[in-house]
Amino acid sequence: MQALPLTQSGIQQRGLMSSSEYTFKLVQVCLPEPSKLVVMCDKRKRQCVCLCQVYKSCLDGLLPNYQAFYRVCSRLTKHQSTLLSGQDKQLLVALAGMDVSVPHVAVVSLAVCCRALKLCKVPAAVLHAFDDIRLKPASQVVLGLPEHILAAHAQPSPNPVQLQMTTPFPVTLPECALPADFKKQHGLLAKLHKHLVHRAVLAQHMGEFKSFSTSPFQLNRKGIAHSSRTWQNSEKHVYLFLGYCHHYQQVSQPTLQLFLSSPLIAQFVSFHIAAGHSQLYIRNFLSCAKCVLRWWQSKPGGNHPSFVAGLEWLQTLGLQVADQLPRPSKDPKGLADIGKWMCAADLVHTIHGAEQQSQAQMQQQGVTVETSRDMHDAALAAMIFSHLPPVRLSCIRSLVGPAYLGPCLHPDCKEPSCEGNRLSIMSESPLLMRISLPHHKNARKWGKAVIEFDVPSDLAQLLHTYLGAPRKALLEHHLLIGDACPYVFMDMHGRGFVAAAVLTLYWQKWLVSRGGVPMNPSMCRQVFVDERQSDSATAGPSNQGAAMVMGHSVKQWDKWYDMQYHPRLAQNAVDGMQSWRAAMLQSHTLAAPDLTLSTALHCGHVLVSDSEESQYQSCCSDSDSDIDIDLD
């Protein structure tokens, strides 16, 4: 690579980029092979930090001076570091020209860094670069190195747990009582342990496990690739398990090697049971544990018999958890008693009242932030229930508006022409709107069939009104410009409902404000199916068509959504037996059968003599040919 001309300090300035808290400046140092430095200035504290990245050939060669540089820095800081995350880290990594999935960015003091540079005899140009900022008060240096170098030279603290596939496997679950300091947020993603997620070894493990799970073609993996949603769930279970090991089992350096410890998994399952978690939640964790174990099995040395035995042990544990912790039976009456259920008629009446009130307030008070938010909430509620069969919430959250012309926002979409889940205006006069949902839960099973339908006129008018001045007022209130938020519906901060939990809390709060109960929005699907399957169901859509819009089949109504399926069928059968019994009694009276005995008509076999053989015939039933009768 051609050397660049240097300034007096040996550095050439290249560019400038800003984020919310930092200003990044890229400089390049002239070495036998150049390295990149990113000078980062804290806007608030006026501190100067920088990042040093070695080029790929240096990393592949594992030059001793850079290895020693990291070892000295680690020893001098006692393995403690401050990490960058979020937008600042993304800008830093992008400006340095590194792969976002590769670097581990650790912050050490400038004094430690300069001392390490001198001890390791790095090129003089790098020392000159640091000398240029050495006089800055309270300066820090951000050191970025790939994970394989960090993992090779990291010195984790001694771990009291044996990190290998333990045998023999536990034959029963240990007793577990919730500790006094029990916290529901015990995972590594909780605020207390978030820094552990960026540790070198764990970050490397998670990167490899994600690549193994989500790669489209991974022939040493069982099954198809994880979708983005499945990976998020797996990642959540991993961090919850590691957080439990760190918080309650005193594991100082949590890594994916902890999944090779069957006693820890058994203790974690007991912890779940003591906390009252559902069997579905526990089985999802065990499914994630099997995926991690298969990832270990794919690595060199993963053909040990203990891995096969471990997979069988996890399978057995999952089956017994499902058997001993059955799903709690729910019924509308029980949910209504605890304030978690509204019948279909009450829910439709509540939403209809919100629609009328929002339109009346808009006419009386004009477009304000308050009236716009009310119309947004009414439109959102009308999409969830009332006008349409309850569409999946994931489709409503990802629905983009007509003004959005960008690419599909679904993280798993690979179709270049896909427009995503979209609300479109087909014509203004007469008003015609259409919803297209190419990304729904069963899209893969249905051969990528799109759920598409025209919006009813009343709902189309409500949505058309909201998408005009009211939505623009909300965007301007939240300091967004124009249609910067591509989604139709947004939270109180002007952002789309990317997380399902945000929409759930938003809906519950709105429903309570309208005089309802804090019912989950997903429960609207059960409310709809309960009314459609009841004996008093009113005229409405066909069950097959409604199930299609809901993104499943009528068979799934009976299995998952109809909470009164079994008791209703049983009661209908018992009630029908009474009319059947009366019909049997009536037919018996009308027939008046002759109760006299008739040997010739009712006997199966008649013994006759040879002389009487011509006068008597054997009278056999249809089943006698299959029965051997001893006449002796």
Side-chain angles (χ1 to χ4, degrees):
M1 183 178 292
Q2 183 178 1
L4 296 172
L6 301 177
T7 62
Q8 292 182 355
S9 59
I11 303 173
Q12 181 185 14
Q13 297 187 3
R14 302 290 295 175
L16 189 66
M17 183 178 291
S18 297
S19 70
S20 59
E21 296 181 7
Y22 298 97
T23 298
F24 300 92
K25 183 183 298 183
L26 176 64
V27 297
Q28 189 142 356
V29 181
C30 181
L31 300 173
E33 179 171 308
S35 296
K36 291 182 180 179
L37 291 176
V38 175
V39 178
M40 182 176 64
C41 301
D42 191 323
K43 292 181 178 179
R44 296 175 301 178
K45 299 181 180 179
R46 303 297 179 185
Q47 295 180 353
C48 183
V49 297
C50 70
L51 179 143
C52 174
Q53 184 216 354
V54 185
Y55 263 29
K56 186 175 185 300
S57 63
C58 296
L59 299 177
D60 293 341
L62 296 178
L63 297 181
N65 53 353
Y66 290 107
Q67 296 181 33
F69 180 38
Y70 176 73
R71 287 199 298 270
V72 173
C73 287
S74 299
R75 184 172 67 251
L76 295 178
T77 57
K78 298 181 180 179
H79 312 290
Q80 296 178 356
S81 59
T82 305
L83 297 166
L84 297 179
S85 61
Q87 183 186 13
D88 296 319
K89 180 180 177 181
Q90 293 175 6
L91 289 173
L92 187 72
V93 169
L95 194 56
M98 294 186 293
D99 184 355
V100 69
S101 63
V102 171
H104 171 81
V105 181
V107 177
V108 297
S109 69
L110 180 62
V112 170
C113 188
C114 290
R115 182 181 176 186
L117 288 171
K118 291 181 179 180
L119 290 175
C120 300
K121 300 180 181 180
V122 299
V126 177
L127 289 175
H128 294 326
F130 286 109
D131 289 338
D132 185 60
I133 61 172
R134 194 169 183 178
L135 299 178
K136 303 286 184 180
S139 296
Q140 290 179 315
V141 173
V142 182
L143 171 64
L145 289 175
E147 297 298 342
H148 65 274
I149 291 185
L150 294 176
H153 302 291
Q155 301 293 331
S157 57
N159 200 312
V161 182
Q162 188 177 8
L163 300 180
Q164 59 183 7
M165 205 63 197
T166 53
T167 54
F169 296 96
V171 296
T172 185
L173 292 180
E175 296 291 335
C176 178
L178 290 181
D181 59 342
F182 168 68
K183 297 179 180 179
K184 292 185 178 180
Q185 295 184 348
H186 55 271
L188 290 187
L189 292 180
K191 188 175 181 180
L192 181 63
H193 313 300
K194 196 172 183 178
H195 66 282
L196 293 175
V197 176
H198 302 282
R199 290 289 177 88
V201 178
L202 177 57
Q204 179 186 2
H205 285 178
M206 291 301 296
E208 293 180 3
F209 177 50
K210 181 178 181 180
S211 177
F212 175 81
S213 302
T214 59
S215 296
F217 297 99
Q218 189 75 32
L219 302 185
N220 58 350
R221 178 195 64 215
K222 183 179 179 181
I224 60 177
H226 284 5
S227 65
S228 58
R229 183 176 180 180
T230 303
W231 166 250
Q232 290 173 3
N233 292 333
S234 298
E235 187 180 37
K236 177 190 68 175
H237 285 293
V238 167
Y239 285 140
L240 285 173
F241 173 64
L242 299 183
Y244 165 82
C245 296
H246 174 74
H247 188 74
Y248 295 114
Q249 300 296 330
Q250 291 75 48
V251 178
S252 59
Q253 183 78 2
T255 67
L256 292 190
Q257 287 178 311
L258 295 178
F259 280 89
L260 303 182
S261 175
S262 54
L264 276 180
I265 294 178
Q267 291 171 9
F268 188 53
V269 171
S270 296
F271 174 79
H272 275 307
I273 296 175
H277 298 155
S278 66
Q279 59 103 343
L280 181 61
Y281 190 84
I282 301 175
R283 292 177 67 191
N284 286 341
F285 161 72
L286 293 176
S287 177
C288 173
K290 288 190 287 186
C291 292
V292 176
L293 200 57
R294 291 191 181 100
W295 168 69
W296 280 113
Q297 198 175 20
S298 68
K299 299 178 76 65
N303 56 352
H304 193 273
S306 63
F307 286 95
V308 178
L311 289 171
E312 295 178 354
W313 180 78
L314 289 173
Q315 180 70 16
T316 302
L317 180 56
L319 293 175
Q320 296 188 8
V321 165
D323 178 67
Q324 296 301 317
L325 300 175
R327 285 173 172 262
S329 59
K330 298 179 180 179
D331 62 276
K333 184 179 182 305
L335 292 173
D337 292 340
I338 61 175
K340 296 293 184 180
W341 180 269
M342 292 178 65
C343 68
D346 292 343
L347 201 52
V348 169
H349 179 76
T350 300
I351 296 174
H352 180 66
E355 295 177 36
Q356 291 184 323
Q357 182 179 351
S358 65
Q359 294 174 350
Q361 289 180 347
M362 187 68 66
Q363 294 176 356
Q364 296 173 2
Q365 304 176 22
V367 179
T368 65
V369 175
E370 290 75 16
T371 58
S372 300
R373 177 57 62 178
D374 289 342
M375 180 160 286
H376 165 277
D377 295 346
L380 175 61
M383 280 288 297
I384 293 177
F385 198 77
S386 182
H387 291 274
L388 306 172
V391 182
R392 290 190 183 276
L393 297 178
S394 59
C395 296
I396 296 178
R397 291 188 291 108
S398 60
L399 194 68
V400 298
Y404 178 71
L405 303 178
C408 177
L409 299 178
H410 195 277
D412 297 328
C413 184
K414 298 179 178 61
E415 299 291 336
S417 60
C418 180
E419 297 182 346
N421 294 341
R422 176 175 292 274
L423 172 65
S424 305
I425 299 178
M426 309 306 296
S427 66
E428 295 282 354
S429 181
L431 180 61
L432 177 61
M433 305 184 77
R434 180 170 297 168
I435 291 179
S436 299
L437 304 174
H439 299 294
H440 53 90
K441 185 176 181 179
N442 287 322
R444 181 181 294 172
K445 295 181 180 178
W446 292 3
K448 297 184 178 180
V450 179
I451 300 176
E452 189 174 57
F453 52 86
D454 294 338
V455 180
S457 57
D458 291 344
L459 178 58
Q461 187 61 51
L462 177 64
L463 289 172
H464 188 266
T465 304
Y466 157 68
L467 290 174
R471 186 172 184 272
K472 184 178 180 181
L474 290 178
L475 292 174
E476 292 176 351
H477 174 70
H478 296 299
L479 303 181
L480 296 176
I481 301 175
D483 289 321
C485 178
Y487 301 105
V488 174
F489 303 107
M490 64 188 77
D491 60 12
M492 295 299 293
H493 302 285
R495 300 169 301 194
F497 293 99
V498 179
V502 177
L503 178 59
T504 298
L505 296 175
Y506 189 94
W507 161 271
Q508 289 177 334
K509 185 177 179 180
W510 176 85
L511 196 58
V512 170
S513 69
R514 302 295 306 181
V517 299
M519 181 180 70
N520 288 346
S522 59
M523 193 64 68
C524 292
R525 296 164 72 86
Q526 279 87 342
V527 172
F528 176 77
V529 172
D530 179 74
E531 194 280 331
R532 298 309 305 149
Q533 297 286 75
S534 66
D535 297 331
S536 59
T538 58
S542 66
N543 290 350
Q544 186 175 4
M548 183 71 65
V549 175
M550 295 173 67
H552 53 230
S553 64
V554 178
K555 291 182 178 179
Q556 290 177 294
W557 282 18
D558 302 336
K559 186 176 182 180
W560 299 108
Y561 294 98
D562 189 1
M563 293 185 290
Q564 299 190 82
Y565 174 73
H566 294 95
R568 183 177 61 253
L569 288 184
Q571 188 61 52
N572 290 342
V574 172
D575 294 341
M577 282 298 296
Q578 309 314 307
S579 59
W580 176 83
R581 178 176 178 274
M584 291 297 101
L585 292 175
Q586 184 178 6
S587 64
H588 183 274
T589 303
L590 294 176
D594 185 5
L595 300 179
T596 58
L597 296 177
S598 175
T599 305
L601 292 177
H602 297 286
C603 68
H605 294 271
V606 178
L607 299 178
V608 296
S609 63
D610 294 340
S611 61
E612 297 174 325
E613 183 175 359
S614 60
Q615 301 180 16
Y616 295 93
Q617 300 294 331
S618 176
C619 192
C620 300
S621 65
D622 294 339
S623 61
D624 285 341
S625 60
D626 297 330
I627 303 176
D628 294 329
I629 300 178
D630 188 5
L631 300 179
D632 293 338

